[in-house]
Amino acid sequence: MGAPAEGGVDPLGDPFLRTRFAVPSRPATFLPRRRLTRHLDQALRTPLTMVNGSAGAGKTLLVADWTARLDRPVTWLTVEAEEQRPGMFWAYVLQALNASGTPLSDRVHCPADPSRVSHKMLAEIAEDLVGRDPAPLVVLDEFDRASACEIAEQLEFVLQHAGSGLRLVLVTRNEPMFSLHRYRAAGALTEIRDAELAFTPEEATALLELHGLSLPGAAVQALVERTRGWAAGLRLCALAAQESPDPQAYLKEFEADRSSVADFLLAEVLRRQPHETQDLLLRVSVLDRFCPDLVNGLTHRTDAGRILAELHRDNAFVEQLGQGWYRLHPLFGEILQTHLRVRSPGLEPDLHRAAAQWLRRRGTLPEALAHGAAADDWDFTAGALVDDLAIGQFFTGLRSDDLNELFSRMGPEAVGPAPELVRAARDLAQSDLDRGMAHLHHAEARLAGEADDPAAAQLSWALLETVAARLTGSPARAEQAAETADEVRPEIPAHLLDKHPELPALLLTHLGSTRLWAGRYEDARAALTEAAECPGGARTVLPREESMGHLALIDYLNGWSGRAEHKALAAMTETERFSLHQPSGSGIERLVLAAVSVDRNELGRAQALLDEAEELAPEIPDPVQAAGRALAEARLQLARGNARAAMESASPAVATAVASPWAQSLERVVASAAHLAEGRTGTAAELLRQLPDDRPAWVVEAARLRLAAGEPDAALDLLDSLAAGSRPGPAVTVRAALVRAQAAAARGDTETAHRLVAQALLGARRERLRRPFLDAGPWIGPFLAAPPLRTLAGGWLLPASAAGAGPAGAGPPPAPIVVQELSERERDVLRGLAQMMSTQEIAADLYLSVNTVKTHLKSLYRKLAVNRRSEAVRRARDLRLL
């Protein structure tokens, strides 16, 4: 390069290692994979390419094979740990360019200081690269070794300012610290990741044939599943199977107990090590990952750091994870663990217990729990979870599956407060109310007998108590649990509370739900708003989602349909912000949207949302969710003219400690409507004499039905009884105006009726509230046919060209609403649907896994409010998305 280091030495005065500039050679049994090299061809058109995969995934040989097919120079540099220092890194980069025959100008000099480079030098490199044709192709292999963020920033600076004069390929085990989202958004990034690097069954078949092995498809499929398509694992199996007279039988044996592979690895790897290193490897085989300090604790040594570094350097199946952590090759680890049980029976539980205690002291809770469970030390394991305030993770959707699986192995011998709390949390999270309540009662009794009364356990109990209170509809019980939480919270170390924001978020959500059940709307709003605003990102996303869904229901009950819709849509999309693919929570936000859709006379959409909510509903519904469903279903049935079905839907199918006033009001209003529809006006009116909830929404509903029952004075008295300070939303005020308008029309006061209908139209137009007018009856037809009111109703209630038609003849259906803007990848999947491609074909076309495509499809269906492919395509065309 312009001015190489004097004498060909690096900034430390050592000669440059030329082997680091050599493109690795491919072994005779290497399998070229055209699907990946074709993908890599895009690297010639994008500034940045990243090949990111685990150790042994075949990254380096893939890129080496691709570069060998190019008719242009390639600059190759294998990065080593010395490149943590910017001066050393850039010295080797410049020397690599020289070695490949693409030097820069003389003004760019090799850094003299191994620890730093000047901004001027970086600018000179970038400026020298601008306009080069062809642009130098620079491959940085094992780039994960250059983990210093300073180096990534410098490299990205040069790449950005070199323009089209540089093509950079990073081969790495982890995500480089680049602004990758910007390159993706600009279409300037080529990516190949682990999922694509994994061998397909067809590729595995070809690889085995290169080793002289021919196996039937089923055997190859089993091998691919066993190794997860991992390149090194497949080659290892192929090498071992070559020594067998019956390779197919050998591979079946390998799948069963791997004894032949064990013999091979023990002979070729373990027994070549000194005795103390063998002991170390056997002991660390119980660990998923390890660092020198942890290994020293398990081996009672002080030199684990040196031994691990040597094993990694010698490629002895010890992989470096970075930041001082290592792991064993998975197959090697399994074999060592089996050998440990033979050589030192009874030692494995002790190693797990020691690892659990070491990890617990350093705050690594998930791994500590896993090792505690492996040691069958359930008092320690449950105690660690409770003491860490992590009991709420059973309800967050992030680690709940892992915790459920782990504690499913806990036997009845663990009987302390912590095991009982964990059992209660696990059962309540899985909607096993009876068992959860029993364990919660046992936990409470055992906590009462504890001398030191641990605050973490008391706070965990308070959370579970609010869960139980919500599921049983027990507001007083929830309030008492919240008081207990407030009392013990000051005794909890601040760092633990900060570590687990999900706990207060969950507690507030459940407390708010029980308050809403009790009809205490404003108290519920206070708790739910605080929960919805909790920090914590993905850890609090589910309680935030549920809280926003409940707040949406409060707005709907108060007549604010637009606000309710906004909150419900925000709740539905909350989990997507954190890539939580599975919809969760109670589904209450969908019930609110269904009810809003009924008010707009979008009955098909309402039914679709109800069906989706049914899929999300827990096995044991909480009372508010059940009442919300009753509300939406009953109103949908009434809109369809099915009064009897509406009455059957109006009662929440859940047993509770106390009744909900608004749920009871719903039952009475719907029952009254049903009796009225069947001609029993007296019974209908009697049901409305005294409503359990005197909120404006129910009072107006009662007034409308009293008017329909032939009691106009009683209807107007009800409306006049509304508190002057109440501020209901349009869904209430529109209905109230129509009741008064109908009463005025019956008295012959057409001027007042006309004015009130106009007022109702103005209030309803913005939120497209069609249902109140459809429910009003035939009296309203002449008013809507009058020119001034026809103008107000045109285009949303009546067809724009309607002349004298009543609302029942309202014209065009409402335009479909997309819940959230489709992502670019979802649009790609949608285009595949329009082309009648299968899920597998879409996955192959987009270089995605089938499961990822399925996730995009599910999100796509939800956003378009459809359930099938054909409906998604039709809806997308209606919205001009295709």
Side-chain angles (χ1 to χ4, degrees):
M1 159 156 258
E6 185 176 351
V9 297
D10 64 26
L12 293 176
D14 297 325
F16 284 108
L17 301 174
R18 287 178 291 176
T19 54
R20 293 177 55 192
F21 310 132
V23 178
S25 59
R26 279 86 66 211
T29 54
F30 174 78
L31 175 71
R33 294 198 278 172
R34 284 295 299 148
R35 68 178 176 91
L36 295 180
T37 53
R38 282 197 301 268
H39 191 173
L40 275 175
D41 286 340
Q42 299 176 22
L44 301 177
R45 299 187 293 275
T46 58
L48 180 62
T49 296
M50 181 177 65
V51 182
N52 185 346
S54 60
K59 307 180 296 295
T60 298
L61 292 181
L62 167 67
V63 178
D65 181 58
W66 172 67
T67 59
R69 300 168 184 270
L70 301 177
D71 58 354
R72 58 188 293 173
V74 175
T75 298
W76 187 286
L77 173 62
T78 300
V79 179
E80 291 191 356
E82 287 79 4
E83 269 74 278
Q84 294 296 330
R85 292 176 289 183
M88 289 291 292
F89 174 82
W90 285 103
Y92 264 92
V93 169
L94 298 179
Q95 188 66 19
L97 285 163
N98 270 332
S100 65
T102 54
L104 300 188
S105 64
D106 292 341
R107 66 174 177 172
V108 181
H109 295 273
C110 181
D113 186 342
S115 300
R116 63 178 299 274
V117 293
S118 68
H119 183 77
K120 178 182 178 183
M121 191 198 85
L122 297 173
E124 288 174 342
I125 294 175
E127 181 62 24
D128 201 277
L129 290 169
V130 170
R132 290 219 175 192
D133 188 18
L137 178 64
V138 177
V139 178
L140 298 181
D141 189 22
E142 300 189 39
F143 183 70
D144 47 278
R145 294 183 175 182
S147 59
C149 60
E150 184 181 3
I151 291 175
E153 291 172 358
Q154 293 169 351
L155 193 57
E156 190 168 10
F157 171 84
V158 170
L159 181 61
Q160 178 182 356
H161 292 283
S164 60
L166 176 62
R167 296 289 180 262
L168 180 63
V169 180
L170 302 180
V171 184
T172 176
R173 293 186 188 179
N174 53 36
E175 194 94 341
M177 289 179 285
F178 274 51
S179 303
L180 295 178
H181 62 281
R182 295 180 180 174
Y183 291 95
R184 291 190 185 105
L189 176 64
T190 300
E191 292 183 81
I192 292 181
R193 292 180 172 271
D194 245 344
E196 294 170 88
L197 289 167
F199 273 62
T200 65
E202 294 75 17
E203 290 170 339
T205 298
L207 179 67
L208 292 170
E209 289 174 352
L210 287 173
H211 288 79
L213 302 172
S214 179
L215 300 177
V220 175
Q221 181 67 41
L223 182 60
V224 170
E225 292 176 1
R226 173 68 185 84
T227 59
R228 300 186 298 277
W230 179 53
L234 287 169
R235 291 193 179 96
L236 179 63
C237 293
L239 287 171
Q242 281 180 322
E243 306 298 322
S244 171
D246 188 345
Q248 183 175 349
Y250 168 81
L251 289 173
K252 286 184 178 180
E253 180 185 356
F254 164 79
E255 188 178 3
D257 60 13
R258 303 174 297 279
S259 59
S260 298
V261 175
D263 291 341
F264 174 80
L265 287 176
L266 292 174
E268 295 298 321
V269 181
L270 182 65
R271 291 174 186 145
R272 292 189 178 187
Q273 304 298 332
H275 178 76
E276 63 273 13
T277 303
Q278 292 185 34
D279 180 70
L280 181 148
L281 286 169
L282 289 169
R283 287 174 179 261
V284 301
S285 67
V286 304
L287 305 171
D288 291 328
R289 64 174 192 141
F290 41 87
C291 65
D293 286 345
L294 175 55
V295 176
N296 283 334
L298 266 61
T299 60
H300 310 293
R301 303 178 60 87
T302 59
D303 58 351
R306 176 186 60 80
I307 295 176
L308 293 173
E310 290 175 352
L311 288 169
H312 173 67
R313 185 170 57 250
D314 293 342
N315 297 314
F317 290 85
V318 174
E319 303 170 2
Q320 195 172 48
L321 300 176
Q323 298 182 336
W325 287 86
Y326 298 83
R327 69 179 175 191
L328 292 174
H329 179 294
L331 294 178
F332 190 39
E334 292 173 14
I335 292 164
L336 290 175
Q337 200 166 353
T338 301
H339 197 59
L340 171 68
R341 294 168 187 151
V342 174
R343 181 183 287 191
S344 303
L347 179 59
E348 187 176 1
D350 292 338
L351 292 172
H352 280 297
R353 189 174 294 107
Q357 293 169 351
W358 187 94
L359 291 162
R360 176 75 181 101
R361 289 193 298 271
R362 283 152 182 80
T364 312
L365 183 66
E367 291 176 271
L369 297 179
H371 286 291
D376 279 334
D377 191 342
W378 295 107
D379 288 332
F380 166 86
T381 307
L385 184 79
V386 172
D387 290 344
D388 198 77
L389 286 187
I391 199 84
Q393 292 182 353
F394 277 100
F395 304 92
T396 62
L398 294 176
R399 297 198 58 239
S400 53
D401 289 344
D402 293 339
L403 291 175
N404 281 324
E405 193 281 327
L406 186 145
F407 283 102
S408 67
R409 309 197 300 271
M410 183 168 62
E413 67 279 0
V415 294
E420 291 292 355
L421 286 169
V422 169
R423 292 188 183 102
R426 184 168 177 266
D427 290 336
L428 290 173
Q430 294 179 333
S431 297
D432 192 338
L433 185 57
D434 292 337
R435 286 170 57 90
M437 296 275 286
H439 287 305
L440 190 57
H441 177 72
H442 294 155
E444 183 180 12
R446 294 184 182 281
L447 282 171
E450 290 283 318
D452 55 354
D453 194 25
Q458 289 287 351
L459 188 55
S460 298
W461 172 87
L463 169 62
L464 300 180
E465 184 74 354
T466 59
V467 176
R470 172 183 176 177
L471 294 176
T472 56
S474 306
R477 186 175 178 182
E479 296 292 345
Q480 186 175 358
E483 289 178 7
T484 299
D486 289 339
E487 290 171 3
V488 302
R489 192 176 286 114
E491 303 175 32
I492 306 291
H495 74 276
L496 274 183
L497 293 173
D498 293 340
K499 181 180 178 183
H500 291 289
E502 73 276 1
L503 196 145
L506 288 163
L507 197 151
L508 286 165
T509 300
H510 300 312
L511 176 63
S513 183
T514 57
R515 287 176 174 177
L516 176 53
W517 175 250
R520 295 164 52 197
Y521 291 10
E522 295 313 309
D523 290 339
R525 188 191 300 277
L528 293 167
T529 300
E530 187 175 351
E533 295 174 351
C534 278
R539 291 171 294 174
T540 59
V541 61
L542 292 194
R544 292 202 313 273
E545 175 196 0
E546 283 217 275
S547 294
M548 287 189 286
H550 281 70
L551 288 168
L553 178 57
I554 293 174
D555 281 338
Y556 182 81
L557 291 172
N558 285 328
W560 295 98
S561 301
R563 296 180 187 176
E565 179 186 47
H566 177 76
K567 288 187 176 70
L569 293 178
M572 287 178 66
T573 57
E574 186 70 5
T575 53
E576 287 192 0
R577 295 175 53 213
F578 298 93
S579 300
L580 297 183
H581 301 304
Q582 295 298 326
S584 49
S586 64
I588 197 166
E589 60 275 5
R590 290 163 174 81
L591 299 175
V592 173
L593 288 172
V596 172
S597 295
V598 172
D599 285 349
R600 294 173 176 168
N601 202 40
E602 299 168 2
L603 305 187
R605 178 171 297 145
Q607 186 63 63
L609 287 162
L610 282 169
D611 292 343
E612 190 172 346
E614 180 67 21
E615 293 180 4
L616 296 175
E619 187 175 332
I620 299 179
D622 71 86
V624 171
Q625 185 267 346
R629 181 167 192 88
L631 173 68
E633 283 189 338
R635 291 198 161 168
L636 177 59
Q637 293 297 345
L638 286 175
R640 287 172 169 169
N642 302 327
R644 181 57 55 180
M647 190 163 65
E648 294 173 357
S649 301
S651 176
V654 60
T656 58
V658 300
S660 170
W662 60 271
Q664 286 184 311
S665 293
L666 168 69
E667 290 185 64
R668 290 200 183 187
V669 165
V670 173
S672 176
H675 287 298
L676 189 62
E678 295 174 356
R680 294 185 290 273
T681 57
T683 304
E686 185 61 32
L687 284 170
L688 303 173
R689 298 291 180 203
Q690 188 175 358
L691 291 175
D693 190 356
D694 60 356
R695 294 276 171 167
W698 304 115
V699 172
V700 171
E701 289 278 4
R704 183 177 69 83
L705 293 169
R706 295 290 287 272
L707 180 62
E711 300 182 1
D713 292 338
L716 294 176
D717 287 343
L718 280 174
L719 295 182
D720 291 339
S721 70
L722 290 174
S726 63
R727 293 178 55 84
V732 175
T733 58
V734 166
R735 286 181 169 90
L738 290 176
V739 171
R740 292 186 184 276
Q742 184 177 358
R747 294 194 307 267
D749 187 355
T750 56
E751 182 179 351
T752 300
H754 188 282
R755 174 176 55 81
L756 289 168
V757 172
Q759 177 183 324
L761 286 169
L762 288 170
R765 182 170 60 178
R766 180 174 181 181
E767 297 190 2
R768 306 192 308 281
L769 299 174
R770 303 177 180 89
R771 199 68 234 169
F773 300 91
L774 295 170
D775 293 338
W779 69 270
I780 201 172
F783 289 91
L784 294 179
L789 296 185
R790 185 175 60 198
T791 301
L792 288 176
W796 68 275
L797 181 60
L798 302 178
S801 60
I817 298 172
V818 179
V819 169
Q820 184 185 0
E821 188 71 23
L822 301 185
S823 69
E824 188 59 38
R825 188 59 83 188
E826 287 165 351
R827 288 176 180 268
D828 292 339
V829 172
L830 180 61
R831 284 188 281 270
L833 294 183
Q835 296 170 21
M836 304 296 290
M837 297 170 67
S838 68
T839 303
Q840 291 76 12
E841 289 170 336
I842 294 173
D845 185 61
L846 299 179
Y847 298 100
L848 298 174
S849 70
V850 171
N851 284 338
T852 299
V853 172
K854 289 180 178 178
T855 298
H856 287 310
L857 281 172
K858 191 166 187 178
S859 176
L860 185 68
Y861 292 165
R862 182 181 60 71
K863 291 181 179 181
L864 295 175
V866 298
N867 297 312
R868 289 184 288 274
R869 289 172 168 239
S870 58
E871 293 174 351
V873 173
R874 185 167 57 252
R875 177 66 55 80
R877 285 178 175 146
D878 290 342
L879 294 168
R880 295 182 176 86
L881 297 176
L882 289 171

